[in-house]
């Protein structure tokens, strides 16, 4: 690979259109009775039937959340139509006025999280006094957090100094083998748990602190602040070039300018648990709670690069145009170009392999309450509170659902959610005739997509799956 984990991480930090990312479930289906994968949101939930998922198609979840997105970074070029001008450009284009260019960014912290889960194989069956599940999943996650001042500086609104602050980005990928069991403990109480074995593929974290930029006499920016990048990935290494310190008495240093991976493979091992409970108060009211992904991964390597805090010169960020019509300058070219610029802005020096580290994977707390309509029991209402616990990339959500089961082989529902980023509408349709199950749903409507299939809105999801049942 020539543009791998670290560089893609830098790209994502500017474009918010990187590859997908951890264990995201379809929250819209939490109160859908015959949805076979409810145990992924609460391990105490079982099924009336046994099932085996269709390999790689049993349960696919893609979810993005944030308070800014691709449409805020990539804009229509006001000069499009003139000779040599491309159709799309970035918010940094000098012909876009600063107020319009920065309108999409939050004046506080700008955050974006993305989760991806694909179930390679899953099975559920009744035995051992309860309901049991076995799963093999591949999961990836991305989290970004950076201040408004970073975009203000990138746009260069005319100030001679910028107090940018802290910038954070993180990504991880791993495989998961999970074993679950749930059982009725009393007439009203059902409990469940899962034990998960985690096989780490990659983990990357980038943190820039107290970043400042001042315009010097020679019309170059003097940037100061500290930075650290930690990458755990087999065969990973930084590429460097020799640079001079701003103070000539300090000599030269090796600045990171690219990355490479020779080989790859499993780079870590860990474990996690899911815990859940369901309490049926009476025929109408049911309450539930679950704590998911409480665990860690121990990585065998940790390739580190740091910015020592010495001031350095930076040319500033430059606009990159995109031609989506004749294959000229594509969106992927923008990501590489801005990644190069952000790498120079980070000014990292290779510190080599520090020998390993241990990281959490991010936990989720679900609390649910369901009310069944006494006069028409095919209709149920539910409220689900979800809290993602992942440091700077944490979020909370409340989701109010209405669910309907018109026939024994079809059910679904619609819902309204308010979370840390936006208000959204979700839905789910679950079709389960004898011997087969198919579901499709969204926690957030997709909205417009780029030509490359990337959601232009920062809040979107898509979920589907198929299983054989008996």
């Amino acid at each position: 690979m020539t543009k791998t984990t670290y560089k893609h991480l830098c790209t994502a930090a500017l474009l918010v259109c990187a590859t997908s990312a951890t264990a995201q479930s379809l929250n819209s289906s939490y109160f859908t009775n015959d949805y076979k994968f409810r145990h992924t949101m609460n391990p105490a939930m079982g099924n009336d039937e046994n099932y085996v998922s269709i390999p790689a198609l049993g349960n696919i979840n893609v979810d993005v959340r944030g308070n800014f997105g691709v449409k805020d970074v990539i804009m229509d070029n006001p000069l499009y139509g003139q000779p040599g001008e491309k159709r799309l450009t970035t918010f940094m284009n000098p012909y876009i006025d600063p107020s319009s260019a920065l309108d999409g960014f939050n004046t506080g912290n700008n955050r974006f999280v993305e989760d991806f889960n694909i179930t390679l194989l899953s099975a559920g069956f009744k035995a051992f006094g309860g309901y049991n599940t076995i799963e093999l999943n591949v999961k990836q996650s991305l989290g970004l957090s950076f201040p408004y001042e970073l975009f203000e500086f990138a746009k260069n609104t005319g100030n001679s100094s910028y107090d940018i602050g802290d910038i954070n980005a993180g990504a991880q990928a791993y495989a998961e083998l999970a074993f679950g069991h749930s059982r009725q403990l009393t007439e009203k109480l059902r409990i469940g748990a899962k034990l998960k074995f985690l096989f780490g593929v990659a983990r990357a974290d980038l943190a820039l602190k107290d970043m400042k930029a001042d315009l010097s006499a020679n019309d170059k920016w003097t940037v100061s602040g500290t930075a650290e990048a930690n990458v755990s990935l087999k065969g990973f290494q930084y590429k460097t070039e020799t640079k001079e310190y701003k103070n000539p008495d300090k000599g030269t240093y090796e600045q990171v300018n690219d990355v490479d991976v020779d080989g790859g493979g499993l780079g870590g091992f860990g474990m996690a648990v899911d815990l859940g409970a369901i309490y049926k108060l009476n025929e109408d009211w049911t309450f539930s709670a679950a704590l998911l992904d409480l665990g860690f991964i121990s990585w065998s390597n940790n390739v580190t690069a740091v910015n020592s805090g010495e001031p350095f010169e930076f040319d500033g960020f430059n606009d990159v145009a995109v031609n989506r019509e004749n294959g000229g300058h594509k969106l992927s070219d923008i990501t590489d170009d801005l990644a190069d610029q952000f790498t120079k802005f980070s000014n990292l020096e290779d510190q080599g392999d520090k020998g390993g580290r241990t990281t959490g994977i991010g936990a989720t707390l679900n609390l649910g309450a369901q009310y069944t309509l006494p006069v028409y029991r095919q209709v149920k209402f539910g409220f689900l509170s979800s809290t993602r616990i992942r440091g700077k990339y944490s979020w909370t959500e409340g989701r109010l659902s209405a669910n309907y089961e018109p026939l024994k082989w079809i059910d679904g529902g619609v819902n309204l959610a308010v979370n840390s980023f936006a208000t959204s509408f979700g839905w789910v349709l679950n079709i389960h005739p004898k011997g087969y199950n198919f579901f499709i749903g969204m926690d957030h409507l997709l909205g417009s997509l780029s030509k490359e299939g990337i959601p232009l809105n920062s809040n979107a999801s898509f979920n589907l799956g198929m299983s054989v049942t008996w």
Side-chain angles (χ1 to χ4, degrees):
M1 300 180 193
T2 56
K3 308 285 184 186
T4 48
T5 305
Y6 168 70
K7 205 162 188 181
H8 281 173
L9 191 56
C10 295
T11 301
L14 286 177
L15 281 188
V16 197
C17 63
T19 55
S20 302
T22 94
Q24 176 61 30
S25 298
L26 179 58
N27 286 354
S28 295
S29 63
Y30 190 87
F31 302 104
T32 304
N33 281 338
D34 205 49
Y35 172 61
K36 295 297 184 288
F37 291 90
R38 287 206 301 167
H39 58 80
T40 63
M41 296 173 283
N42 187 327
M45 293 180 175
N47 292 309
D48 294 331
E49 298 178 309
N50 303 325
Y51 79 91
V52 174
S53 67
I54 304 299
L57 295 175
N59 184 28
I60 300 172
N61 302 299
V62 181
D63 185 90
V64 294
R65 303 167 188 259
N67 55 10
F68 77 111
V70 175
K71 63 182 176 60
D72 301 314
V73 180
I74 307 296
M75 300 181 170
D76 291 329
N77 188 349
L79 301 182
Y80 177 60
Q82 299 184 19
E85 292 295 333
K86 310 300 183 182
R87 178 183 173 185
L88 298 179
T89 185
T90 70
F91 72 99
M92 295 179 287
N93 189 307
Y95 290 96
I96 300 177
D97 67 271
S99 60
S100 298
L102 300 174
D103 184 60
F105 301 112
N106 192 299
T107 54
N109 221 20
N110 291 269
R111 295 191 301 149
F112 178 87
V113 294
E114 186 176 15
D115 293 301
F116 172 77
N117 172 71
I118 181 169
T119 298
L120 300 180
L121 190 63
S122 177
F125 58 95
K126 298 176 182 178
F128 313 115
Y131 196 81
N132 308 275
T133 57
I134 302 174
E135 303 165 78
L136 179 60
N137 302 303
V138 175
K139 302 181 178 182
Q140 189 180 6
S141 62
L142 169 70
L144 310 171
S145 174
F146 23 79
Y148 175 83
E149 288 76 13
L150 172 64
F151 302 103
E152 192 178 36
F153 169 62
K155 176 62 180 173
N156 190 3
T157 56
N159 296 340
S160 59
S161 64
Y162 294 89
D163 188 353
I164 298 170
D166 298 344
I167 303 167
N168 293 274
Q172 65 181 356
Y174 62 91
E176 171 191 273
L177 178 61
F179 300 91
H181 178 76
S182 66
R183 63 169 59 214
Q184 202 71 34
L185 195 63
T186 68
E187 183 180 351
K188 293 186 175 183
L189 179 63
R190 185 180 183 89
I191 60 172
K194 283 186 184 180
L195 177 62
K196 301 180 175 183
F197 298 94
L198 312 178
F199 305 91
V201 177
R203 170 83 182 217
D205 297 282
L206 175 65
L208 287 73
K209 297 182 179 180
D210 300 322
M211 301 300 292
K212 295 179 174 62
D214 296 285
L215 192 62
S216 58
N218 60 357
D219 289 333
K220 285 195 173 184
W221 293 101
T222 298
V223 178
S224 61
T226 60
E228 182 172 345
N230 296 283
V231 177
S232 299
L233 175 63
K234 283 289 187 180
F236 179 90
Q237 63 180 359
Y238 295 107
K239 294 182 178 180
T240 62
E241 62 179 336
T242 302
K243 302 286 288 187
E244 291 186 358
Y245 284 108
K246 183 174 175 59
N247 183 348
D249 294 337
K250 291 185 175 291
T252 62
Y253 65 98
E254 294 300 311
Q255 184 193 64
V256 171
N257 68 347
D258 206 341
V259 297
D260 199 4
V261 173
D262 182 14
L266 293 180
F269 177 78
M271 298 179 68
V273 294
D274 293 353
L275 303 172
I278 301 171
Y279 184 76
K280 189 172 184 178
L281 181 64
N282 52 44
E283 289 299 315
D284 301 331
W285 284 98
T286 302
F287 299 93
S288 59
L291 182 61
L292 312 176
D293 293 324
L294 190 62
F296 67 94
I297 297 178
S298 180
W299 302 93
S300 60
N301 72 329
N302 180 23
V303 185
T304 302
V306 301
N307 177 340
S308 62
E310 289 289 333
F312 62 96
E313 287 190 342
F314 178 62
D315 293 332
F317 292 101
N318 300 311
D319 177 47
V320 184
V322 189
N323 188 342
R324 278 175 32 188
E325 275 143 359
N326 57 24
H329 210 36
K330 299 180 181 178
L331 191 59
S332 59
D333 297 325
I334 271 202
T335 64
D336 285 343
D337 193 298
L338 290 183
D340 289 333
Q341 295 185 48
F342 194 74
T343 300
K344 292 178 181 178
F345 174 74
S346 303
N347 194 43
L348 296 170
E349 302 177 39
D350 186 7
Q351 300 292 299
D353 190 349
K354 297 297 184 180
R357 59 175 173 153
T358 299
T359 62
I361 61 173
T364 301
L365 176 65
N366 285 332
L367 301 173
Q370 177 182 285
Y371 175 70
T372 302
L373 202 62
V375 295
Y376 190 59
R377 306 198 70 81
Q378 283 82 2
V379 174
K380 300 178 177 67
F381 298 96
F383 178 77
L384 175 64
S385 170
S386 295
T387 302
R388 180 72 168 155
I389 307 167
R390 200 177 161 211
K392 295 181 181 297
Y393 318 119
S394 299
W395 53 263
T396 59
E397 177 183 85
R399 186 174 296 269
L400 184 63
S401 302
N403 301 272
Y404 180 45
E405 187 179 0
L407 301 170
K408 290 184 178 181
W409 56 271
I410 186 170
D411 55 355
V414 295
N415 53 83
L416 179 68
V418 178
N419 59 44
S420 300
F421 307 109
T423 299
S424 61
F425 173 78
W427 60 273
V428 60
L429 176 64
N430 190 44
I431 301 172
H432 46 97
K434 185 176 180 180
Y436 179 72
N437 175 246
F438 171 79
F439 73 88
I440 185 171
M442 297 178 182
D443 283 341
H444 316 271
L445 296 182
L446 279 177
S448 300
L449 302 177
S450 72
K451 185 179 180 180
E452 295 75 17
I454 299 168
L456 299 180
N457 190 294
S458 54
N459 291 275
S461 79
F462 181 72
N463 309 263
L464 66 82
M466 294 175 278
S467 300
V468 176
T469 64
W470 69 95

